RNA sequence: CGGAGCAUAGCGCAGCCCGGUAGCGCAUCUGCUUUGGGAGCAGAGGGUCGCAGGUUCGAAUCCUGCUGCUCCGACCA
């Protein structure tokens, strides 16, 4: 992409409403624009990151055996009356009437709908286990939206719902998601720690929150420091190996880790003092097992091998990609701007033409650009006639992991500079070597 | 939902107390000079002063109502 043709409204000054660093940087980097309290338009740069986050979420959900579908944003009130949550949910639910005065709502979650869908088709234990997920916009009419897309009213959510014949099967489904979550966050460059969680209004008795550590996090968390160095299960993990998967989950839950709501100071105190970690954290995922809480009121049951009818055991598993984008920035930024992990960077590489109009510099940039594009690399070519300093500032602000600085100085020696955003280091290398390095 | 505050150009703000035909910085556009860490000079464009009423010869400014947004607290993927 040529910057001169792109839509990247960078702000030099910070809109005053932005309090936390991720919100400020997202506005400055031209990633989002507020349209209403807690409602945002995703501008091209922000959308690129959001899509990359979703792609990783999808890959790991699919790897763990979950199947994607797509449910609507608008649901009927009747569906929610069936579970009894229409009245319970309160003012957080955005209620709407259509032209026929039918009561509708903008979905805050989809347990009811997915249960209704499965009830309609699944009649035999042979169809189980089943895990269906979708990535869809949701709306919760928060009393006080804040922190940009971190706590917005409209937000993108991946929610998966598992269906099993019995509690043991459900436990296995839970473990699949548990491992999938470890992998998902790890691939985004985050260290996410599963913590024992309150099951909240959704209910159930088995639940973990996935927390990443960030000084700006809103919850207080306590855990064993060994979690920070734990190896995440590999891509070759056999998700059908029940015992093996349980072993992985056990490894990841045997050490102490809890949010302040579930904090047990005795257990925490039992950790050797130097390994005690009290920090602030951001919740980026939450998984639940809730048994027959929804299948019972919906009459979602299957016939088992014994010929009898069994209530389906369910779990649900959420990740908020829109929130994750903010969380990623909270976890990775500096004074100059965002420091994207490569896996989610809007563009992996930036080419900075430090002297637009100079024929040698222009030619070298065009050549590099063409070759990187041909190699299938996401590259943003700053071909504008801004001064070098402004280009450095912009590239650092939007967090491009690799920046190729092309100017007359280094070009005189047949070189360009390859700069790493994460530590600011630069190397003088030939254009051919840059290609080599970035495509390796 | 309790408490506090704000609303003037794309962004950040001044002007309001004390009414008199709307201003600054950044951004944008044109020209010239610059050109390796957010350049300089000269010029230009851009605003129903959140909305609706009222007071007044005259309202961004005073009064009333409304709307939107932000912050603190309780709640929350």
């Amino acid at each position: 992409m040529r910057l001169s043709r792109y839509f990247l409204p960078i702000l030099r000054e910070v809109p005053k409403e932005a309090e936390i660093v991720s919100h400020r940087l997202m506005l400055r980097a031209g990633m989002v624009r507020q349209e209403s309290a807690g409602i945002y338009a995703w501008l091209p740069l922000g959308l690129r990151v959001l899509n990359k986050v979703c792609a990783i979420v999808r890959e790991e959900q699919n790897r763990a055996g979950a199947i994607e579908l797509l449910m609507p944003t608008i649901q009927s009130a009747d569906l929610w009356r069936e579970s009894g949550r229409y009245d319970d949910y309160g003012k957080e639910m955005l209620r709407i009437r259509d032209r026929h005065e039918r009561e509708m709502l903008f979905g805050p979650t989809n347990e009811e709908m997915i249960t209704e869908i499965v009830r309609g088709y699944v009649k035999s234990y042979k169809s189980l286990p089943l895990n269906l997920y979708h990535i869809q916009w949701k709306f919760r009419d928060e009393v006080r939206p804040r922190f940009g897309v971190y706590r917005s009213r409209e937000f993108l959510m991946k929610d998966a719902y598992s269906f099993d014949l019995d509690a043991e099967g459900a436990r296995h489904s839970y473990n699949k998601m548990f491992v999938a979550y470890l992998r998902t966050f790890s691939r985004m460059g985050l260290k996410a720690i599963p913590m024992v969680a309150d099951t909240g209004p959704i209910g159930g008795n088995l639940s973990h929150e996935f927390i990443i550590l960030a000084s700006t996090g809103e919850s207080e968390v306590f855990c064993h420091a060994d979690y920070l160095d734990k190896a995440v299960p590999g891509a070759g993990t056999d998700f059908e190996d029940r015992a093996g998967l349980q072993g992985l989950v056990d490894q990841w839950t045997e050490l102490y880790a809890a949010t302040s709501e579930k904090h047990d100071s005795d257990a925490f105190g039992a950790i050797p003092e130097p390994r005690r970690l009290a920090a602030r954290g951001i919740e980026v995922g939450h998984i639940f097992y809730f048994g027959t809480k929804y299948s019972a009121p919906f009459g979602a049951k299957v016939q088992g091998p014994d010929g009898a009818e069994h209530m389906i055991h369910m779990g649900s598993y959420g990740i908020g990609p829109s929130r994750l984008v903010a969380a990623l920035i909270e976890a990775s930024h500096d004074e100059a701007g965002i420091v994207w992990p490569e896996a989610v960077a809007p563009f992996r590489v930036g080419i900075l033409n430090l002297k637009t109009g100079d024929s040698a510099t222009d030619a070298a940039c065009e050549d590099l650009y063409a070759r990187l594009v041909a190699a299938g690399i996401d590259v943003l070519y700053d071909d504008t006639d801004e001064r070098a300093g402004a280009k450095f500032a912009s590239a650092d602000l939007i967090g491009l992991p690799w920046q190729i600085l092309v100017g007359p100085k280094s070009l005189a020696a047949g070189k360009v500079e390859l700069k790493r955003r994460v530590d600011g280091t630069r190397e003088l290398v030939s254009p051919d070597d840059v290609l080599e390095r970035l495509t390796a």
Side-chain angles (χ1 to χ4, degrees):
Chain A
M1 180 62 63
R2 287 170 197 274
L3 184 55
S4 63
R5 301 294 192 82
Y6 200 44
F7 182 63
L8 182 63
I10 285 178
L11 270 41
R12 194 188 288 203
E13 284 168 285
V14 193
K16 64 169 178 181
E17 74 268 15
E19 283 294 306
I20 63 169
V21 65
S22 61
H23 191 195
R24 280 204 297 272
L25 289 173
M26 288 183 80
L27 291 171
R28 286 197 58 210
M31 293 178 65
V32 292
R33 177 183 174 83
Q34 179 168 330
E35 293 297 339
S36 235
I39 299 177
Y40 291 82
W42 288 76
L43 304 180
L45 195 80
L47 182 60
R48 275 184 163 262
V49 177
L50 187 62
N51 284 339
K52 291 205 173 185
V53 166
C54 287
I56 292 173
V57 168
R58 245 185 211 108
E59 282 178 28
E60 295 303 329
Q61 289 292 292
N62 295 345
R63 189 194 308 279
I67 304 164
E68 185 171 10
L69 48 55
L70 184 58
M71 292 178 271
T73 54
I74 306 293
Q75 308 184 20
S76 91
D78 289 344
L79 192 58
W80 284 69
R81 291 207 173 89
E82 212 165 328
S83 68
R85 285 210 292 181
Y86 189 67
D87 296 321
D88 294 349
Y89 221 92
K91 291 188 171 179
E92 282 211 342
M93 179 184 278
L94 179 62
R95 295 154 207 261
I96 305 167
R97 280 177 193 276
D98 70 8
R99 68 195 299 163
H100 301 294
E101 292 294 313
R102 283 186 288 242
E103 294 175 281
M104 314 294 284
L105 57 98
F106 197 117
T109 181
N110 287 72
E111 278 89 2
E112 281 78 0
M113 187 173 284
I114 195 71
T115 307
E116 188 273 336
I117 289 171
V118 167
R119 171 182 70 183
Y121 299 111
V122 175
K123 303 295 179 190
S124 160
Y125 75 97
K126 292 175 185 172
S127 303
L128 301 181
L130 192 60
N131 185 324
L132 298 170
Y133 76 97
H134 75 340
I135 298 178
Q136 178 61 290
W137 293 94
K138 303 205 178 315
F139 195 92
R140 289 183 196 167
D141 201 355
E142 296 276 346
V143 188
R144 192 183 160 209
R146 62 185 130 172
F147 304 150
V149 298
Y150 181 73
R151 161 130 321 127
S152 50
R153 292 196 292 171
E154 187 182 59
F155 56 99
L156 192 59
M157 178 91 160
K158 183 286 298 182
D159 38 340
Y161 302 94
S162 67
F163 302 87
D164 283 273
L165 178 63
D166 52 31
E168 292 88 68
R171 177 68 208 228
H172 182 213
S173 293
Y174 183 91
N175 289 347
K176 288 181 188 173
M177 288 293 108
F178 187 105
V179 171
Y181 275 36
L182 289 176
R183 289 192 43 76
T184 300
F185 299 123
S186 170
R187 283 188 57 190
M188 295 176 194
L190 297 171
K191 288 185 186 300
I193 302 168
M195 301 200 178
V196 175
D198 209 352
T199 50
I202 297 180
N205 54 23
L206 179 57
S207 173
H208 285 90
E209 285 179 11
F210 286 75
I211 304 274
I212 60 171
L213 303 183
S215 56
T216 49
E218 60 181 345
S219 42
E220 229 183 333
V221 299
F222 305 87
C223 70
H224 197 297
D226 285 3
Y227 273 114
L228 297 177
D229 309 315
K230 260 191 185 309
V232 165
T237 302
D238 181 359
F239 283 87
E240 296 311 317
D241 174 3
R242 286 197 181 209
L245 217 55
Q246 185 65 55
L248 287 172
V249 172
D250 289 345
Q251 275 175 41
W252 274 87
T253 51
E254 64 191 1
L255 295 174
Y256 183 77
T259 59
S260 55
E261 301 90 54
K262 285 276 184 175
H263 185 47
D264 174 348
S265 47
D266 291 341
F268 186 61
I271 301 171
E273 206 276 326
R275 302 308 287 162
R276 275 178 224 158
L277 186 59
R280 302 202 68 81
I282 299 177
E283 182 184 350
V284 291
H286 203 159
I287 61 179
F288 294 94
Y289 162 67
F290 47 66
T292 60
K293 180 177 167 112
Y294 297 96
S295 51
F298 276 87
K301 34 192 188 195
V302 292
Q303 201 166 11
D306 54 1
E309 289 191 318
H310 299 260
M311 282 301 171
I312 298 176
H313 285 248
M314 294 175 58
S316 82
Y317 316 90
I319 292 179
S322 51
R323 158 178 282 197
L324 249 180
V325 173
L328 280 157
I329 296 171
E330 290 293 329
S332 182
H333 67 271
D334 61 19
E335 290 72 32
I338 303 167
V339 182
W340 289 117
E342 286 197 43
V344 295
F347 295 92
R348 189 164 155 244
V349 179
I351 300 173
L352 278 62
N353 186 336
L354 301 184
K355 191 164 185 178
T356 310
D358 177 277
S359 56
T361 322
D362 288 351
C365 287
E366 289 292 341
D367 180 57
L368 265 173
Y369 178 58
R371 290 162 74 188
L372 286 166
V373 168
I377 292 175
D378 283 333
V379 52
L380 183 65
Y381 169 27
D382 191 344
D383 59 339
T384 63
D385 53 10
E386 285 294 315
R387 297 162 64 86
K391 293 189 180 186
F392 293 138
S394 294
D396 284 348
L397 172 63
I398 66 175
L400 304 179
W402 295 99
Q403 299 167 20
I404 307 172
L405 316 183
V406 184
K409 277 187 188 174
S410 47
L411 220 46
K415 308 273 191 178
V416 297
E417 281 173 274
L418 183 60
K419 173 180 160 183
R420 291 181 63 191
R421 176 67 178 89
V422 68
D423 56 12
T425 55
R426 299 175 180 196
E427 276 180 84
L428 268 178
V429 288
S430 72
D432 286 343
D433 289 344
V434 166
L435 257 298
E436 181 88 8
R437 291 272 294 276
L438 294 176
T439 54

